[in-house]
Amino acid sequence: MPGSYIPRIEVAEIEVLYCSQMHFTPIIDHARVDTYKLKKLLESEYDRAGISSDQIETGAVIITGETAKKENAELILHMMSELAGDFVVAVAGPDIESAIAGKGSGALEYSKRTHGRIINLDIGGGTTNIAVFNDGKLEETACLNVGGRLIEVCPESGRVQYVSEVCDALLQVHDISLSQGISAYEKLCEAMVTFVDDCVLHRKLNAIGRTFLMTEPLKSACTLARKRDGVPVYDGVMFSGGVAECFYDQSTWDQPFKHGDLGPILADAFRRSELARTFHVIEPKEKIRATVIGAGNNTIDVSGSTIQTEWMTLPVKNIPVAVVVLSLDDLNQTCAEQRLGQAFNRFKEYAGNQALGLSISIDTMPKYSEIQLLAKALFFSWHRQSACETPLVILLEHDFGKALGQALRGMTTSQARFACIDSVHVKDGDYIDIGKPVYEGGAVILVVKTLVFQSGGS
């Protein structure tokens, strides 16, 4: 084995032990979720699976789409945490939801295998999450308020029981009356799908279309993206989410109100969309379960093997992270220290937090002398922030965590608590959970969490 070889520990296999049946989220009204019924529902599924919460070592609470907009979304997170093991992952931001749905559907894997540009549309009850993957890498994401349960109807009579605000505005703009029957629902769904077409084909949305946007529209961030007449070219399109079950299942096509919502009608509108007619449609590995499968695969990683954790008590949870981007040229004490100090300043609202996290992104692997410079800059900025009394987790993309930790330890007192963990990729504003060291201290389980509760809007 070469002397420079650094072993890596990775998640090698994932096995699904139990899948519950699908449930509609119990609600008190359209502003609040019935948390009591939701908890009882989850407890019953644990019983059916033959698993107790004490057996769960790591888990995820995924709050997405319409549920993330409810008034008590954060209450759901805290109440459900006891059922999800030591680690709770709350993924509610539309951008990250788009990414994990595309991973769960198989779009990312398909893109990597074919070296192609694949777009995944995850269409749920209240949102359509869009992710573009190019040769196995996430290129961009977007999200629109387009979903199957924006209008609810009685399955037997077709009588309207609920109309969301965004749909009500669209009905007025297009002068559509739902009393006109199935043709009115079809016209409404076609209008919503046109907004999705405009977004994914990089056309400017009109004023009402922009009210359906929950994020920025797709902008073709990748400069190498292929275009034809100014329109992006995709090698394939996948549809996942609950509406995708209707998209690919022909048995639902003649049952427009089977689920008491717009699902089958909206699926038909997507089948006739410009996107589906123009590009190759691929059936995903997962449809309605894409987001939860993607979250399970995407949020839990094993850290690198050159870590330094012996000077910090683990596990720790809910650590806020600030990202600092440095180049090797920045690793003179003044410049690096200034940027690290600015990152520490963003932690003022977390005074008294059990620990803080700094993610240091450097363009290439530093030399030992440069690691020493970084350690000095870290020490002085940390000392100014809290006299090195607040525990600190340092996250690195490259494998020099142990070297940095040892250099930093030589500058601090034995009471200073910190850890250096490498091979970790996070975003500014993420939170992390870190488990106890495994494999004789050579690795730790680390969970990246995006705790964002949005009310929508552009």
Side-chain angles (χ1 to χ4, degrees), residues 309-338:
T309 61
E310 62 189 87
W311 300 308
M312 189 160 187
T313 303
L314 299 176
V316 291
K317 299 168 65 174
N318 293 331
I319 301 172
V321 176
V323 175
V324 182
V325 179
L326 299 171
S327 67
L328 291 182
D329 291 337
D330 294 328
L331 291 180
N332 60 78
Q333 184 172 328
T334 303
C335 183
E337 188 180 333
Q338 180 182 12

Coordinates of all heavy atoms in Angstrom, one line a residue, residues 309-338:
T309 N -11.1 14.2 16.6 CA -12.3 14.4 17.4 C -12.0 14.1 18.9 O -13.0 14.3 19.7 CB -13.4 13.5 16.9 OG1 -13.0 12.1 17.1 CG2 -13.8 13.8 15.5
E310 N -10.8 13.8 19.3 CA -10.6 13.4 20.7 C -10.8 14.5 21.7 O -10.9 14.2 22.9 CB -9.2 12.8 20.8 CG -8.1 13.8 20.5 CD -6.7 13.1 20.5 OE1 -6.4 12.6 19.4 OE2 -6.1 13.0 21.5
W311 N -10.8 15.8 21.3 CA -10.9 16.9 22.2 C -12.3 17.5 22.2 O -12.5 18.6 22.7 CB -9.9 18.0 21.8 CG -8.5 17.4 21.9 CD1 -7.9 16.8 22.9 CD2 -7.5 17.5 20.8 NE1 -6.6 16.4 22.5 CE2 -6.3 16.8 21.2 CE3 -7.5 18.0 19.5 CZ2 -5.2 16.7 20.4 CZ3 -6.4 17.9 18.7 CH2 -5.2 17.3 19.2
M312 N -13.3 16.7 21.8 CA -14.6 17.2 21.9 C -15.6 16.1 22.3 O -15.4 14.9 21.9 CB -15.1 17.7 20.5 CG -16.4 18.5 20.5 SD -16.6 19.6 19.1 CE -18.1 20.4 19.5
T313 N -16.5 16.4 23.1 CA -17.5 15.4 23.6 C -18.6 15.2 22.5 O -19.3 16.1 22.1 CB -18.2 15.8 24.9 OG1 -17.1 16.0 25.9 CG2 -19.1 14.7 25.4
L314 N -18.7 14.0 22.0 CA -19.7 13.6 21.0 C -20.7 12.6 21.6 O -20.3 11.8 22.4 CB -19.0 13.1 19.8 CG -18.0 14.0 19.1 CD1 -17.3 13.3 17.9 CD2 -18.7 15.2 18.5
P315 N -21.9 12.6 21.1 CA -22.5 13.3 19.9 C -22.9 14.7 20.3 O -23.1 15.1 21.4 CB -23.7 12.5 19.6 CG -24.2 11.9 20.9 CD -22.9 11.6 21.6
V316 N -23.0 15.5 19.2 CA -23.6 16.9 19.4 C -24.6 17.1 18.2 O -24.5 16.4 17.2 CB -22.5 18.0 19.2 CG1 -21.6 18.0 20.5 CG2 -21.7 17.8 18.0
K317 N -25.6 18.0 18.5 CA -26.7 18.1 17.6 C -27.0 19.6 17.3 O -26.7 20.5 18.1 CB -28.0 17.4 18.1 CG -27.8 15.9 18.3 CD -29.0 15.4 19.1 CE -30.3 15.5 18.4 NZ -31.4 14.8 19.1
N318 N -27.6 19.9 16.1 CA -28.0 21.2 15.8 C -27.0 22.3 15.8 O -27.1 23.3 16.4 CB -29.2 21.6 16.6 CG -30.5 20.7 16.3 OD1 -30.6 20.2 15.2 ND2 -31.3 20.6 17.3
I319 N -25.8 22.0 15.2 CA -24.7 23.0 15.2 C -24.8 23.8 14.0 O -24.8 23.3 12.8 CB -23.4 22.2 15.2 CG1 -23.2 21.3 16.4 CG2 -22.2 23.2 15.1 CD1 -22.0 20.4 16.4
P320 N -25.0 25.2 14.1 CA -25.1 26.0 13.0 C -23.7 26.1 12.3 O -22.7 26.2 12.9 CB -25.5 27.4 13.6 CG -25.0 27.3 15.0 CD -25.1 25.9 15.4
V321 N -23.8 26.2 10.9 CA -22.5 26.2 10.1 C -22.4 27.5 9.3 O -23.4 27.9 8.7 CB -22.5 25.0 9.2 CG1 -21.2 25.1 8.3 CG2 -22.5 23.7 10.0
A322 N -21.2 28.1 9.3 CA -20.9 29.2 8.4 C -19.8 28.7 7.5 O -18.8 28.1 8.0 CB -20.5 30.4 9.2
V323 N -19.9 29.1 6.2 CA -18.9 28.7 5.3 C -17.9 29.8 5.0 O -18.3 30.9 4.8 CB -19.5 28.2 3.9 CG1 -18.5 27.9 2.9 CG2 -20.4 27.0 4.2
V324 N -16.6 29.5 5.0 CA -15.5 30.4 4.7 C -14.8 29.9 3.5 O -14.2 28.8 3.5 CB -14.6 30.6 5.9 CG1 -13.5 31.6 5.5 CG2 -15.3 31.0 7.1
V325 N -14.7 30.6 2.4 CA -14.0 30.2 1.2 C -12.7 30.9 1.2 O -12.6 32.2 1.2 CB -14.8 30.6 -0.1 CG1 -14.0 30.2 -1.3 CG2 -16.2 29.9 0.0
L326 N -11.6 30.2 1.1 CA -10.2 30.7 1.0 C -9.4 30.1 -0.1 O -9.7 29.0 -0.6 CB -9.5 30.4 2.3 CG -10.1 30.9 3.7 CD1 -9.3 30.3 4.8 CD2 -10.0 32.4 3.7
S327 N -8.5 30.8 -0.6 CA -7.5 30.3 -1.6 C -6.2 30.2 -0.9 O -6.0 30.7 0.2 CB -7.4 31.2 -2.8 OG -6.8 32.5 -2.4
L328 N -5.3 29.5 -1.5 CA -3.9 29.3 -0.9 C -3.3 30.7 -0.7 O -2.5 30.9 0.3 CB -3.1 28.4 -1.7 CG -3.5 26.9 -1.7 CD1 -2.5 26.1 -2.6 CD2 -3.6 26.3 -0.3
D329 N -3.6 31.6 -1.6 CA -3.0 32.9 -1.5 C -3.5 33.7 -0.3 O -2.9 34.6 0.2 CB -3.3 33.7 -2.8 CG -2.5 33.2 -4.0 OD1 -1.5 32.6 -3.8 OD2 -3.0 33.4 -5.1
D330 N -4.8 33.3 0.2 CA -5.4 33.9 1.3 C -4.8 33.5 2.6 O -5.0 34.1 3.7 CB -6.9 33.7 1.4 CG -7.6 34.2 0.2 OD1 -7.2 35.3 -0.3 OD2 -8.6 33.6 -0.3
L331 N -4.0 32.4 2.6 CA -3.5 31.8 3.9 C -2.3 32.6 4.4 O -1.4 32.0 4.9 CB -3.2 30.4 3.7 CG -4.4 29.4 3.4 CD1 -4.0 28.0 3.3 CD2 -5.4 29.6 4.6
N332 N -2.4 33.9 4.3 CA -1.5 34.7 5.2 C -2.4 35.1 6.4 O -3.6 35.2 6.2 CB -0.9 35.9 4.5 CG -2.1 36.8 4.0 OD1 -2.6 37.6 4.8 ND2 -2.4 36.8 2.7
Q333 N -1.8 35.3 7.5 CA -2.6 35.5 8.8 C -3.6 36.6 8.7 O -4.8 36.4 9.1 CB -1.6 35.7 9.9 CG -2.3 35.8 11.3 CD -1.3 35.8 12.4 OE1 -0.3 35.3 12.3 NE2 -1.7 36.5 13.5
T334 N -3.3 37.7 8.1 CA -4.2 38.8 8.1 C -5.5 38.6 7.3 O -6.6 38.7 7.8 CB -3.5 40.1 7.6 OG1 -2.3 40.3 8.4 CG2 -4.4 41.3 7.6
C335 N -5.3 38.1 6.1 CA -6.5 37.9 5.2 C -7.4 36.7 5.7 O -8.6 36.9 5.8 CB -6.0 37.6 3.8 SG -7.3 37.4 2.6
A336 N -6.8 35.6 6.0 CA -7.5 34.4 6.5 C -8.2 34.8 7.8 O -9.4 34.4 8.0 CB -6.6 33.2 6.6
E337 N -7.5 35.4 8.7 CA -8.1 35.8 10.0 C -9.3 36.7 9.8 O -10.3 36.6 10.6 CB -7.0 36.4 10.9 CG -7.4 36.6 12.3 CD -6.3 37.2 13.1 OE1 -5.1 37.0 12.8 OE2 -6.6 37.9 14.1
Q338 N -9.2 37.6 8.9 CA -10.3 38.6 8.7 C -11.5 37.9 8.2 O -12.6 38.1 8.7 CB -9.8 39.6 7.7 CG -10.9 40.7 7.4 CD -10.5 41.7 6.3 OE1 -9.5 41.5 5.6 NE2 -11.2 42.7 6.1

